[in-house]
Amino acid sequence: MLMILNWILPIYLFFSGSIVFISSRKHLLATLLSLEFMVLSLFLFLFIYLNIFNYEAYFSLMFLVFSVCEGVLGLSVLVAMIRTHGNDYFNSFSILQC
């Protein structure tokens, strides 16, 4: 029973994060937070998977490094958007502007 709960929890967290990602279209910050929540749920899934098969945690460490890089890139896009447009609304951002 506990083994099944270990697999269901990360999957539930991932799908709830994807629902929030799909439904939040107004602010860039809310979208980035839902992406980070999805990455953390994938890390939990990976950590449980690697612990079941007794693998080393080196791959999970590499996953965390790449997820931090993804978060930094998202925050840099957020800062650039706030500096150019003044807010993080998707409605004020236009593709046609330079």
Side-chain angles (χ1 to χ4, degrees):
M1 181 67 182
L2 186 62
M3 181 83 164
I4 293 172
L5 288 176
N6 284 341
W7 291 100
I8 290 176
L9 180 67
I11 293 171
Y12 174 74
L13 291 175
F14 180 79
F15 283 121
S16 63
S18 62
I19 288 171
V20 171
F21 178 72
I22 291 169
S23 65
S24 66
R25 297 182 186 152
K26 193 171 185 179
H27 293 282
L28 179 64
L29 183 61
T31 305
L32 290 175
L33 282 174
S34 63
L35 280 175
E36 286 298 319
F37 184 74
M38 289 169 56
V39 166
L40 285 176
S41 67
L42 285 175
F43 173 71
L44 179 65
F45 183 76
L46 180 71
F47 188 75
I48 290 170
Y49 180 78
L50 291 177
N51 278 338
I52 287 174
F53 294 112
N54 293 327
Y55 288 118
E56 293 185 17
Y58 180 74
F59 187 71
S60 62
L61 180 67
M62 292 299 294
F63 183 80
L64 277 179
V65 167
F66 285 115
S67 65
V68 165
C69 291
E70 177 256 339
V72 168
L73 285 174
L75 285 176
S76 65
V77 168
L78 177 69
V79 167
M81 187 173 175
I82 288 175
R83 284 186 180 175
T84 57
H85 298 285
N87 53 21
D88 68 336
Y89 293 127
F90 280 124
N91 292 337
S92 67
F93 184 66
S94 176
I95 301 289
L96 300 176
Q97 292 177 345
C98 294

